[in-house]
Structures are given as C-alpha cells and as structure tokens.
Amino acid sequence: MIHINLQASPAPAPAMDGCLSSEQQPGRLGEGPGSPGGCLEAEEETVQKGGTSGPTGDFNNIEPSLHSLQKFVPTNYASYTQENYLFAGKKIVVQESIESYGAVVWPGAMALCQYLEEHTEELNFQDAKILEIGAGPGLVSIVASFLGAQVTATDLPDVLGNLQHNLLKNTLTHTAHLPEVKELVWGEGLEQNFPKSTFYYDYVLASDVVYHHYCLDKLLSTMAHLCQPGTVLLWANKFRFSTDYEFLDKFKQVFDTTFLAEFPESSVKIFKGTLKWD
C-alpha cells in the first residue's frame, strides 16, 4: 500500500446530474475548480487547484482541424477557465467551469493521474484499450492517452462537448491514438451501446464517481458490465460520506479488490478491482 500526499483545497463548485440524463498539488500548474462524473445529486464541495486560471473559453475560435472533429457542442456556461497540469512529462490545458460538477477536475482524478504516471511500466498502457467512466473534463483520459492507450472517454450528454474539446486540444497530433468520446448514462442501454461480444477493455478507469447521489447501484452495475475476464478496474475516490464506504462494501462483493494507494491530504483512496466470476 502506498501513502501519497496530495492536498486538495477549496474553491466552490455547483451541481450537475448525471443519472437522469445522460498548499500546491503534484501535477497541477494552475488554480481553479475540479469534477466527479456521473450523477446529479452531489454535495456542495470545495476544491482548490494549483495553477493559473485563464481566459473564458471560446469554442468558435478553435483551430479548424479541431473544429472539424468536434462532434459534440459544449455547454454554454457563463465562464470557463483554462487550468494547467503537468503529467507524463506533458503540459495539459483543461478548460473547466465551476458551473457544473462535470466540468471540473476533482481530487480523485488528480490522484489517479499521479498513480498512472508513477506506475507506467507496471500498468503498461501502450496500445491498451481503456474506458473511463465519468470522464468529466477529461484529465484522466488525456493522461492515459499520453501513456499510449486507446481511450474511450464517457459521460453524460451535456458533458461531452467540453470533454471532447479538451481531449482534442491536448491529444491531436500528440498521441498515437486519438481518444473517442461516447455517451454513457449509468445503468441504461449498456448491452445495446457497449455489447460484451464486441467491446473489451483492458482497463476501466473511474475517479470521484462515488459521492452523494442516488445512482450508486446503477454505477456498480455499469462497472460490472464493462469488465470482463482480464479487465482491471482502477477506481480513485475521495471518501466524504458514510454512503461512500457502503458503496465500497458492495464493490467488494462484486470485485476482487486490492487497496493500491492512499492520499491522506485529500482523503483519496485508490482501489484495483477484477470482476468475480462464479
């Protein structure tokens, strides 16, 4: 078990729903908001980012090459900031907005990126097929792409525009595989949209997807559906409520679970799960 200091500090964030519809931190160069992915009913939480906030985003002025690939329309929030990160030896610029839980980077994502970076050889993401649940603004998917993975980043429909913008902005011409963006509403249309016969993932990634919402059973069923024999699920989460630990107990009933790392300053824990088979 690894203990790592990763301090999260406060800056307010508003709520978004996802079940219904669709002191300075390592890796962080800027300062601004953060994001759990997947559901609406979330607590009013504060997080601090290290780094510089930037100008309001303007999606109409992005490069033509990005514009032609941008299939999802970003939500028109009143303000965006440009947050800077450094992972896998790369500067990453993520456009975020505190107007949505799905448009900010939360402590679990920071911790998971640090873990991926520090265990590159062990994980061997080169050409691995990876799906991220609740990708939010896309930091984890960007880092996984830089590490050589074939990434599918998923979230609710209203999150996909900003997610895709961030992925394209950071990975186009910079990674071996351009990440794919796909809608995923937990517990809905799983076999139709992600049939087990044709969709196999080496890794499923999730960060701060467990918080105060009513979709935890749907989240667990989604995790189980996406995992097959050989799939490794890496889940990082800041533990805030008793319900988070209740979810962990249920998670252990479905997955053979290993506690990988702890980030005491931000109350983030990282677990590895492999689906139990009868």
Side-chain angles (χ1 to χ4, degrees):
M1 182 179 66
I2 305 166
H3 295 272
I4 308 172
N5 288 331
L6 181 63
Q7 185 173 5
S9 30
M16 151 197 129
D17 197 26
C19 285
L20 303 181
S21 69
S22 61
E23 275 144 44
Q24 194 93 336
Q25 301 183 4
R28 177 167 293 170
L29 302 177
E31 181 161 3
S35 141
C39 252
L40 243 172
E41 297 290 340
E43 86 284 7
E44 298 253 336
E45 168 150 4
T46 58
V47 269
Q48 171 191 25
K49 309 183 129 195
T52 60
S53 56
T56 299
D58 185 351
F59 295 101
N60 294 319
N61 292 331
I62 61 176
E63 296 90 332
S65 58
L66 297 185
H67 223 334
S68 64
L69 294 170
Q70 183 88 37
K71 297 179 180 179
F72 299 98
V73 178
T75 301
N76 187 23
Y77 297 122
S79 65
Y80 282 96
T81 59
Q82 309 297 320
E83 306 299 335
N84 300 303
Y85 301 87
L86 181 63
F87 286 107
K90 306 287 187 180
K91 179 183 176 182
I92 300 169
V93 181
V94 177
Q95 184 155 258
E96 305 180 38
S97 173
I98 61 170
E99 295 180 58
S100 168
Y101 271 138
V104 278
V105 174
W106 294 96
M110 292 288 296
L112 185 54
C113 287
Q114 185 176 338
Y115 184 85
L116 299 181
E117 181 181 52
E118 293 175 352
H119 295 81
T120 302
E121 292 187 10
E122 173 190 340
L123 295 170
N124 189 20
F125 274 12
Q126 191 65 46
D127 298 324
K129 294 184 178 179
I130 291 177
L131 181 141
E132 184 183 5
I133 298 174
L139 179 62
V140 173
S141 286
I142 292 168
V143 172
S145 296
F146 280 139
L147 295 176
Q150 304 176 56
V151 175
T152 300
T154 70
D155 214 309
L156 299 170
D158 57 336
V159 177
L160 299 183
N162 189 52
L163 168 60
Q164 187 172 55
H165 172 80
N166 286 328
L167 293 178
L168 289 172
K169 191 79 172 178
N170 287 279
T171 65
L172 189 63
T173 74
H174 297 295
T175 59
H177 308 286
L178 191 65
E180 179 184 1
V181 173
K182 193 166 183 177
E183 177 183 335
L184 174 57
V185 181
W186 299 341
E188 296 185 15
L190 296 176
E191 184 56 32
Q192 177 183 352
N193 298 319
F194 298 89
K196 284 181 173 290
S197 59
T198 53
F199 284 81
Y200 173 84
Y201 300 102
D202 299 295
Y203 289 92
V204 173
L205 307 180
S207 63
D208 271 331
V209 290
V210 177
Y211 51 104
H212 190 57
H213 59 71
Y214 301 103
C215 310
L216 294 180
D217 289 341
K218 291 181 178 181
L219 170 61
L220 188 57
S221 67
T222 300
M223 288 176 163
H225 177 84
L226 295 170
C227 292
Q228 299 192 46
T231 301
V232 173
L233 191 154
L234 298 177
W235 167 41
N237 222 90
K238 177 172 181 175
F239 281 73
R240 306 164 174 88
F241 307 107
S242 60
T243 50
D244 299 346
Y245 290 96
E246 291 170 8
F247 179 87
L248 176 59
D249 290 339
K250 292 182 178 180
F251 182 88
K252 290 179 178 179
Q253 294 173 17
V254 178
F255 291 90
D256 289 318
T257 306
T258 303
F259 182 28
L260 294 180
E262 184 172 12
F263 297 71
E265 296 294 335
S266 57
S267 303
V268 172
K269 304 176 192 296
I270 299 181
F271 297 91
K272 178 177 79 171
T274 54
L275 194 63
K276 292 182 178 180
W277 295 89
D278 295 331

mmCIF file of all heavy atoms in Angstrom, residues 168-194:
data_model
loop_
_atom_site.group_PDB
_atom_site.id
_atom_site.type_symbol
_atom_site.label_atom_id
_atom_site.label_comp_id
_atom_site.label_asym_id
_atom_site.label_seq_id
_atom_site.Cartn_x
_atom_site.Cartn_y
_atom_site.Cartn_z
ATOM 1 N N LEU A 168 -9.345 16.763 -27.696
ATOM 2 C CA LEU A 168 -8.768 17.126 -28.981
ATOM 3 C C LEU A 168 -7.653 18.148 -28.826
ATOM 4 O O LEU A 168 -6.593 18.046 -29.455
ATOM 5 C CB LEU A 168 -9.865 17.686 -29.897
ATOM 6 C CG LEU A 168 -10.897 16.695 -30.429
ATOM 7 C CD1 LEU A 168 -12.016 17.429 -31.150
ATOM 8 C CD2 LEU A 168 -10.243 15.670 -31.348
ATOM 9 N N LYS A 169 -7.892 19.150 -27.988
ATOM 10 C CA LYS A 169 -6.924 20.231 -27.799
ATOM 11 C C LYS A 169 -5.573 19.697 -27.315
ATOM 12 O O LYS A 169 -4.520 20.193 -27.705
ATOM 13 C CB LYS A 169 -7.480 21.226 -26.782
ATOM 14 C CG LYS A 169 -6.710 22.540 -26.685
ATOM 15 C CD LYS A 169 -7.073 23.473 -27.811
ATOM 16 C CE LYS A 169 -6.465 24.853 -27.614
ATOM 17 N NZ LYS A 169 -6.778 25.747 -28.746
ATOM 18 N N ASN A 170 -5.618 18.666 -26.478
ATOM 19 C CA ASN A 170 -4.382 18.172 -25.873
ATOM 20 C C ASN A 170 -3.762 16.972 -26.584
ATOM 21 O O ASN A 170 -2.549 16.762 -26.469
ATOM 22 C CB ASN A 170 -4.651 17.795 -24.413
ATOM 23 C CG ASN A 170 -4.834 19.002 -23.517
ATOM 24 O OD1 ASN A 170 -3.865 19.616 -23.073
ATOM 25 N ND2 ASN A 170 -6.084 19.362 -23.244
ATOM 26 N N THR A 171 -4.572 16.185 -27.300
ATOM 27 C CA THR A 171 -4.030 14.930 -27.834
ATOM 28 C C THR A 171 -3.850 14.913 -29.345
ATOM 29 O O THR A 171 -3.064 14.110 -29.856
ATOM 30 C CB THR A 171 -4.930 13.736 -27.449
ATOM 31 O OG1 THR A 171 -6.214 13.874 -28.079
ATOM 32 C CG2 THR A 171 -5.108 13.659 -25.940
ATOM 33 N N LEU A 172 -4.567 15.757 -30.069
ATOM 34 C CA LEU A 172 -4.469 15.732 -31.526
ATOM 35 C C LEU A 172 -3.028 15.976 -31.964
ATOM 36 O O LEU A 172 -2.421 16.977 -31.594
ATOM 37 C CB LEU A 172 -5.398 16.783 -32.139
ATOM 38 C CG LEU A 172 -5.570 16.739 -33.661
ATOM 39 C CD1 LEU A 172 -6.206 15.432 -34.098
ATOM 40 C CD2 LEU A 172 -6.406 17.917 -34.141
ATOM 41 N N THR A 173 -2.483 15.056 -32.720
ATOM 42 C CA THR A 173 -1.086 15.050 -33.216
ATOM 43 C C THR A 173 -0.064 14.803 -32.113
ATOM 44 O O THR A 173 1.138 14.791 -32.379
ATOM 45 C CB THR A 173 -0.697 16.361 -33.952
ATOM 46 O OG1 THR A 173 -0.515 17.430 -33.004
ATOM 47 C CG2 THR A 173 -1.747 16.764 -34.984
ATOM 48 N N HIS A 174 -0.517 14.588 -30.872
ATOM 49 C CA HIS A 174 0.423 14.383 -29.766
ATOM 50 C C HIS A 174 0.370 12.970 -29.189
ATOM 51 O O HIS A 174 1.192 12.624 -28.345
ATOM 52 C CB HIS A 174 0.149 15.386 -28.641
ATOM 53 C CG HIS A 174 0.343 16.820 -29.044
ATOM 54 N ND1 HIS A 174 1.563 17.340 -29.410
ATOM 55 C CD2 HIS A 174 -0.544 17.844 -29.166
ATOM 56 C CE1 HIS A 174 1.428 18.620 -29.724
ATOM 57 N NE2 HIS A 174 0.160 18.937 -29.591
ATOM 58 N N THR A 175 -0.599 12.171 -29.619
ATOM 59 C CA THR A 175 -0.719 10.814 -29.090
ATOM 60 C C THR A 175 -0.871 9.824 -30.236
ATOM 61 O O THR A 175 -1.312 10.178 -31.332
ATOM 62 C CB THR A 175 -1.934 10.679 -28.152
ATOM 63 O OG1 THR A 175 -3.132 11.026 -28.881
ATOM 64 C CG2 THR A 175 -1.796 11.594 -26.940
ATOM 65 N N ALA A 176 -0.516 8.568 -29.968
ATOM 66 C CA ALA A 176 -0.611 7.533 -31.001
ATOM 67 C C ALA A 176 -2.058 7.242 -31.357
ATOM 68 O O ALA A 176 -2.365 6.892 -32.498
ATOM 69 C CB ALA A 176 0.081 6.259 -30.516
ATOM 70 N N HIS A 177 -2.952 7.374 -30.368
ATOM 71 C CA HIS A 177 -4.359 7.071 -30.584
ATOM 72 C C HIS A 177 -5.197 8.273 -30.140
ATOM 73 O O HIS A 177 -5.059 8.747 -29.018
ATOM 74 C CB HIS A 177 -4.773 5.843 -29.780
ATOM 75 C CG HIS A 177 -3.890 4.648 -29.988
ATOM 76 N ND1 HIS A 177 -3.934 3.887 -31.142
ATOM 77 C CD2 HIS A 177 -2.935 4.099 -29.199
ATOM 78 C CE1 HIS A 177 -3.048 2.907 -31.051
ATOM 79 N NE2 HIS A 177 -2.432 3.017 -29.888
ATOM 80 N N LEU A 178 -6.066 8.741 -31.028
ATOM 81 C CA LEU A 178 -6.949 9.849 -30.678
ATOM 82 C C LEU A 178 -8.098 9.310 -29.826
ATOM 83 O O LEU A 178 -8.781 8.362 -30.228
ATOM 84 C CB LEU A 178 -7.507 10.496 -31.946
ATOM 85 C CG LEU A 178 -8.236 11.832 -31.772
ATOM 86 C CD1 LEU A 178 -7.260 12.899 -31.281
ATOM 87 C CD2 LEU A 178 -8.870 12.261 -33.085
ATOM 88 N N PRO A 179 -8.326 9.864 -28.644
ATOM 89 C CA PRO A 179 -9.389 9.352 -27.777
ATOM 90 C C PRO A 179 -10.774 9.487 -28.407
ATOM 91 O O PRO A 179 -11.052 10.441 -29.127
ATOM 92 C CB PRO A 179 -9.289 10.239 -26.524
ATOM 93 C CG PRO A 179 -7.953 10.879 -26.586
ATOM 94 C CD PRO A 179 -7.602 10.987 -28.032
ATOM 95 N N GLU A 180 -11.610 8.525 -28.113
ATOM 96 C CA GLU A 180 -13.006 8.554 -28.559
ATOM 97 C C GLU A 180 -13.867 9.070 -27.412
ATOM 98 O O GLU A 180 -13.568 8.846 -26.243
ATOM 99 C CB GLU A 180 -13.461 7.145 -28.944
ATOM 100 C CG GLU A 180 -14.903 7.054 -29.398
ATOM 101 C CD GLU A 180 -15.347 5.624 -29.682
ATOM 102 O OE1 GLU A 180 -14.535 4.701 -29.505
ATOM 103 O OE2 GLU A 180 -16.530 5.442 -30.060
ATOM 104 N N VAL A 181 -14.940 9.775 -27.758
ATOM 105 C CA VAL A 181 -15.887 10.277 -26.760
ATOM 106 C C VAL A 181 -17.231 9.618 -27.008
ATOM 107 O O VAL A 181 -17.711 9.569 -28.137
ATOM 108 C CB VAL A 181 -16.022 11.818 -26.853
ATOM 109 C CG1 VAL A 181 -17.119 12.318 -25.931
ATOM 110 C CG2 VAL A 181 -14.696 12.481 -26.509
ATOM 111 N N LYS A 182 -17.818 9.108 -25.929
ATOM 112 C CA LYS A 182 -19.068 8.374 -26.090
ATOM 113 C C LYS A 182 -19.981 8.627 -24.899
ATOM 114 O O LYS A 182 -19.525 8.698 -23.752
ATOM 115 C CB LYS A 182 -18.783 6.879 -26.218
ATOM 116 C CG LYS A 182 -19.968 6.054 -26.685
ATOM 117 C CD LYS A 182 -19.529 4.666 -27.117
ATOM 118 C CE LYS A 182 -20.725 3.879 -27.652
ATOM 119 N NZ LYS A 182 -20.330 2.547 -28.146
ATOM 120 N N GLU A 183 -21.276 8.752 -25.176
ATOM 121 C CA GLU A 183 -22.257 8.935 -24.098
ATOM 122 C C GLU A 183 -22.420 7.653 -23.297
ATOM 123 O O GLU A 183 -22.491 6.559 -23.855
ATOM 124 C CB GLU A 183 -23.604 9.341 -24.692
ATOM 125 C CG GLU A 183 -24.710 9.486 -23.658
ATOM 126 C CD GLU A 183 -26.061 9.813 -24.279
ATOM 127 O OE1 GLU A 183 -26.081 10.379 -25.394
ATOM 128 O OE2 GLU A 183 -27.086 9.489 -23.664
ATOM 129 N N LEU A 184 -22.466 7.803 -21.987
ATOM 130 C CA LEU A 184 -22.749 6.666 -21.108
ATOM 131 C C LEU A 184 -23.562 7.164 -19.922
ATOM 132 O O LEU A 184 -23.063 7.924 -19.092
ATOM 133 C CB LEU A 184 -21.454 6.006 -20.620
ATOM 134 C CG LEU A 184 -21.615 4.891 -19.584
ATOM 135 C CD1 LEU A 184 -22.514 3.766 -20.095
ATOM 136 C CD2 LEU A 184 -20.248 4.328 -19.176
ATOM 137 N N VAL A 185 -24.813 6.736 -19.867
ATOM 138 C CA VAL A 185 -25.667 7.007 -18.714
ATOM 139 C C VAL A 185 -25.687 5.735 -17.884
ATOM 140 O O VAL A 185 -26.075 4.673 -18.382
ATOM 141 C CB VAL A 185 -27.102 7.387 -19.151
ATOM 142 C CG1 VAL A 185 -27.968 7.680 -17.931
ATOM 143 C CG2 VAL A 185 -27.064 8.591 -20.080
ATOM 144 N N TRP A 186 -25.270 5.832 -16.650
ATOM 145 C CA TRP A 186 -25.093 4.638 -15.829
ATOM 146 C C TRP A 186 -26.371 3.806 -15.765
ATOM 147 O O TRP A 186 -27.457 4.323 -15.482
ATOM 148 C CB TRP A 186 -24.661 5.022 -14.420
ATOM 149 C CG TRP A 186 -23.351 5.744 -14.378
ATOM 150 C CD1 TRP A 186 -22.397 5.769 -15.350
ATOM 151 C CD2 TRP A 186 -22.851 6.550 -13.320
ATOM 152 N NE1 TRP A 186 -21.340 6.542 -14.967
ATOM 153 C CE2 TRP A 186 -21.589 7.040 -13.715
ATOM 154 C CE3 TRP A 186 -23.350 6.912 -12.066
ATOM 155 C CZ2 TRP A 186 -20.820 7.856 -12.909
ATOM 156 C CZ3 TRP A 186 -22.580 7.732 -11.253
ATOM 157 C CH2 TRP A 186 -21.330 8.199 -11.667
ATOM 158 N N GLY A 187 -26.205 2.513 -16.046
ATOM 159 C CA GLY A 187 -27.314 1.584 -15.913
ATOM 160 C C GLY A 187 -28.285 1.569 -17.077
ATOM 161 O O GLY A 187 -29.245 0.802 -17.063
ATOM 162 N N GLU A 188 -28.051 2.388 -18.090
ATOM 163 C CA GLU A 188 -29.003 2.487 -19.204
ATOM 164 C C GLU A 188 -28.361 2.063 -20.523
ATOM 165 O O GLU A 188 -27.281 2.518 -20.875
ATOM 166 C CB GLU A 188 -29.524 3.920 -19.335
ATOM 167 C CG GLU A 188 -30.322 4.392 -18.133
ATOM 168 C CD GLU A 188 -30.925 5.775 -18.346
ATOM 169 O OE1 GLU A 188 -30.966 6.226 -19.513
ATOM 170 O OE2 GLU A 188 -31.340 6.395 -17.356
ATOM 171 N N GLY A 189 -29.041 1.185 -21.239
ATOM 172 C CA GLY A 189 -28.607 0.788 -22.585
ATOM 173 C C GLY A 189 -27.223 0.187 -22.642
ATOM 174 O O GLY A 189 -26.514 0.337 -23.652
ATOM 175 N N LEU A 190 -26.807 -0.517 -21.589
ATOM 176 C CA LEU A 190 -25.431 -0.999 -21.529
ATOM 177 C C LEU A 190 -25.129 -2.040 -22.607
ATOM 178 O O LEU A 190 -24.136 -1.942 -23.323
ATOM 179 C CB LEU A 190 -25.138 -1.569 -20.138
ATOM 180 C CG LEU A 190 -25.194 -0.551 -18.987
ATOM 181 C CD1 LEU A 190 -24.985 -1.241 -17.647
ATOM 182 C CD2 LEU A 190 -24.155 0.546 -19.193
ATOM 183 N N GLU A 191 -25.988 -3.039 -22.709
ATOM 184 C CA GLU A 191 -25.736 -4.091 -23.706
ATOM 185 C C GLU A 191 -25.953 -3.557 -25.122
ATOM 186 O O GLU A 191 -25.281 -3.973 -26.063
ATOM 187 C CB GLU A 191 -26.632 -5.300 -23.440
ATOM 188 C CG GLU A 191 -26.367 -6.487 -24.362
ATOM 189 C CD GLU A 191 -24.913 -6.978 -24.331
ATOM 190 O OE1 GLU A 191 -24.257 -6.884 -23.261
ATOM 191 O OE2 GLU A 191 -24.436 -7.445 -25.383
ATOM 192 N N GLN A 192 -26.854 -2.616 -25.268
ATOM 193 C CA GLN A 192 -27.108 -2.037 -26.582
ATOM 194 C C GLN A 192 -25.940 -1.173 -27.052
ATOM 195 O O GLN A 192 -25.522 -1.246 -28.210
ATOM 196 C CB GLN A 192 -28.378 -1.186 -26.529
ATOM 197 C CG GLN A 192 -28.687 -0.470 -27.834
ATOM 198 C CD GLN A 192 -29.917 0.420 -27.732
ATOM 199 O OE1 GLN A 192 -30.626 0.392 -26.728
ATOM 200 N NE2 GLN A 192 -30.171 1.205 -28.761
ATOM 201 N N ASN A 193 -25.402 -0.359 -26.161
ATOM 202 C CA ASN A 193 -24.345 0.587 -26.537
ATOM 203 C C ASN A 193 -22.932 0.056 -26.309
ATOM 204 O O ASN A 193 -21.988 0.522 -26.963
ATOM 205 C CB ASN A 193 -24.531 1.889 -25.761
ATOM 206 C CG ASN A 193 -25.851 2.556 -26.074
ATOM 207 O OD1 ASN A 193 -26.278 2.599 -27.225
ATOM 208 N ND2 ASN A 193 -26.524 3.080 -25.048
ATOM 209 N N PHE A 194 -22.796 -0.897 -25.396
ATOM 210 C CA PHE A 194 -21.486 -1.485 -25.095
ATOM 211 C C PHE A 194 -21.634 -3.008 -25.008
ATOM 212 O O PHE A 194 -21.435 -3.602 -23.953
ATOM 213 C CB PHE A 194 -20.935 -0.931 -23.773
ATOM 214 C CG PHE A 194 -20.707 0.554 -23.776
ATOM 215 C CD1 PHE A 194 -21.726 1.429 -23.411
ATOM 216 C CD2 PHE A 194 -19.481 1.094 -24.147
ATOM 217 C CE1 PHE A 194 -21.523 2.806 -23.414
ATOM 218 C CE2 PHE A 194 -19.265 2.463 -24.153
ATOM 219 C CZ PHE A 194 -20.298 3.323 -23.790
#
